[in-house]
Amino acid sequence: MPDTPNPIGLPADVPPEPPDRPSTAASVWSALSWVRDLAFSVLIAVILIVFIYQPVKVEGTSMMPT
């Protein structure tokens, strides 16, 4: 009986190789992308807190307890 290839084209007696680990360069770029996104998020949060949400302390006699 002739060898019939499996769905990925290898003979039935040859196991497929495991996928390679990501390269170091790819890991570094992934980490830098993560850091960039985090820094951008912090920047947006600071801008929103400083310019949109401004805590106000109201002083005056109208705010005195009666």
Side-chain angles (χ1 to χ4, degrees):
M1 179 174 204
D3 288 338
T4 57
N6 60 16
I8 59 173
L10 295 175
D13 59 343
V14 177
E17 293 181 18
D20 293 334
R21 288 180 49 203
S23 67
T24 304
S27 297
V28 169
W29 281 113
S30 177
L32 287 176
S33 173
W34 223 101
V35 169
R36 180 200 62 204
D37 293 344
L38 183 64
F40 185 69
S41 299
V42 169
L43 177 67
I44 294 295
V46 167
I47 289 172
L48 287 174
I49 290 169
V50 169
F51 294 108
I52 306 271
Y53 173 74
Q54 296 179 356
V56 177
K57 182 177 182 183
V58 177
E59 295 181 15
T61 56
S62 64
M63 296 303 292
M64 296 297 262
T66 55

